[in-house]
Amino acid sequence: MIKLADVSITLGDFSLKNVHLEIRKGEFFTILGPTGTGKTVILELIAGLYRPDAGKVLINGADSENIPPEKREIGFVYQDYALFPHLNVYKNIAFGPRLRKMPPSAIKENVQGLADMLEITHLLARFPGTLSGGEQQRVSLARALIMKPKILLMDEPLSALDPNTKRMLCGELKRVHEKYRCTVVHVTHDFNEAAMLADRIGVILKGKVKQVGVPREVFERPRDQEVKNFLGVEPLKAVYAR
Ligand SMILES: Nc1ncnc2c1ncn2[C@@H]1O[C@H](COP(=O)(O)OP(=O)(O)OP(=O)(O)O)[C@@H](O)[C@H]1O
Ligand SMILES: [Mg+2]
C-alpha cells in the first residue's frame, strides 16, 4: 500500500538516509524512535508535504509525486491536534466534507455517527479552546475519519495525555482501526504504546530504519546494540499486540 523505496532527503543539518519501508494494506504500522530521528519527516513524505531528494514514495504502486496531496485519501492527525480555534467541534469535524460539498444532511449524519462512536456528542457545540487534551484528540480523530481516508497518519497522537487517558484512547484507536481497517502509520516514542497498538514496528534511529518486525520480535530480539540500547532503557509494561 505504501512503499518508501530508498528514500533520502536532507533538511538543514538533518538527513534521512536510504529509507526503505513497506507498509501493508490495512495494517497498523508504528514508527518508533527517539526525538529528532525523522519520524515526522517520514509521515510528511508519505503525505506529500515533502518530496524526496532521491528514491520514491509509492502509494498503491503509483509514484506519489504524480498524485496531488488532496487526491491521496490520506488523513493526518497531528500531535498538537491542530483544530480550528474559531470553529466549534461540529464545524471542525464537518470542515472537510463541507469543502467537498457533501450534502448537509449526509454531513450531519456522519458527524453524529462519529461523535457517538468517539463519545464526544456532548461537545459538539463547544470550541476547541475549552476542551481537554483527550477531548481535542478525539475531535481531531473524528475530523480525520470523516473523510474516510484509506491511509491514516498519526503523529504522536497520545503523547500530551496523562497515563489513564492515554490507555483509554489507545484502546479506542485499536477499535477505530478494527472498524475502519484503514492503513495506519502511527508515530511514537512510547514503547508501551507501540507494543500495544502495532501490527508491526519500524525502529528509526538517526534517520535510518534499523529494524522492522512484530512488537515481540523487536523488543525481544533487537537487531544490534544500538537498537538494544534504545529499547532497553525501561521495562515494558504492555501486552504485545502481536
Ligand atoms: N524543514 C526543515 N528544515 C530544517 N530542519 C528540519 C526541517 N524539518 C525537520 N528538520 C529537522 O530534522 C530532524 C528530524 O525532525 P522530525 O520532526 O522528523 O523528528 P521526530 O523524529 O519527529 O522528532 P520528535 O519525536 O521530537 O517529534 C530534526 O532535527 C528537525 O529539526
Ligand atoms: Mg515529530
Side-chain angles (χ1 to χ4, degrees):
M1 175 111 206
I2 306 170
K3 185 169 171 180
L4 278 74
D6 222 12
V7 166
S8 300
I9 186 170
T10 298
L11 297 163
D13 297 334
F14 175 78
S15 40
L16 271 183
K17 300 161 208 104
N18 308 98
V19 168
H20 197 88
L21 273 182
E22 286 184 48
I23 297 166
R24 299 168 191 150
K25 188 167 194 281
E27 92 174 318
F28 199 116
F29 191 92
T30 295
I31 294 176
L32 178 66
T35 183
T37 44
K39 303 184 298 296
T40 297
V41 172
I42 292 177
L43 286 192
E44 290 174 335
L45 281 161
I46 296 171
L49 301 171
Y50 285 127
R51 287 189 169 193
D53 298 334
K56 284 195 184 315
V57 178
L58 301 169
I59 294 175
N60 279 327
D63 189 334
S64 73
E65 279 199 27
N66 303 324
I67 318 169
E70 68 279 6
K71 294 241 168 84
R72 281 175 209 184
E73 301 181 282
I74 292 176
F76 208 136
V77 175
Y78 295 89
Q79 176 171 2
D80 58 2
Y81 318 132
L83 296 170
F84 304 117
H86 58 293
L87 297 180
N88 69 19
V89 167
Y90 183 95
K91 287 184 175 162
N92 261 280
I93 301 172
F95 189 83
R98 276 190 178 162
L99 273 187
R100 296 251 171 113
K101 307 246 183 296
M102 192 194 277
S105 58
I107 295 179
K108 194 167 176 199
E109 200 174 299
N110 283 326
V111 172
Q112 279 169 347
L114 280 166
D116 262 0
M117 185 182 80
L118 294 167
E119 292 168 19
I120 49 173
T121 304
H122 59 295
L123 304 175
L124 289 174
R126 300 254 300 269
F127 284 83
T130 72
L131 304 177
S132 74
E135 290 167 343
Q136 289 187 59
Q137 193 51 284
R138 286 162 199 269
V139 175
S140 77
L141 195 56
R143 191 178 60 172
L145 289 174
I146 201 163
M147 301 305 284
K148 302 194 170 60
K150 299 227 165 65
I151 298 171
L152 183 62
L153 308 176
M154 296 194 284
D155 196 354
E156 312 215 22
L158 309 176
S159 65
L161 307 174
D162 65 80
N164 282 332
T165 313
K166 201 180 225 183
R167 205 168 312 122
M168 206 159 71
L169 264 174
C170 227
E172 205 119 299
L173 286 183
K174 194 98 194 140
R175 271 190 289 127
V176 163
H177 178 245
E178 270 153 23
K179 183 167 163 155
Y180 287 84
R181 279 287 151 206
C182 50
T183 306
V184 173
V185 189
H186 157 248
V187 161
T188 187
H189 55 249
D190 182 318
F191 304 144
N192 289 298
E193 200 180 306
M196 258 185 279
L197 288 172
D199 291 323
R200 289 191 307 148
I201 293 175
V203 178
I204 315 284
L205 298 174
K206 297 188 194 134
K208 284 195 180 136
V209 181
K210 295 288 296 185
Q211 184 168 357
V212 176
V214 300
R216 183 179 299 280
E217 194 177 306
V218 168
F219 286 105
E220 293 181 0
R221 274 174 284 134
R223 171 162 300 156
D224 61 18
Q225 198 56 41
E226 204 187 349
V227 177
K228 200 169 175 175
N229 289 345
F230 167 59
L231 295 175
V233 291
E234 59 183 84
L236 206 62
K237 291 184 221 81
V239 177
Y240 296 121
R242 275 168 214 276

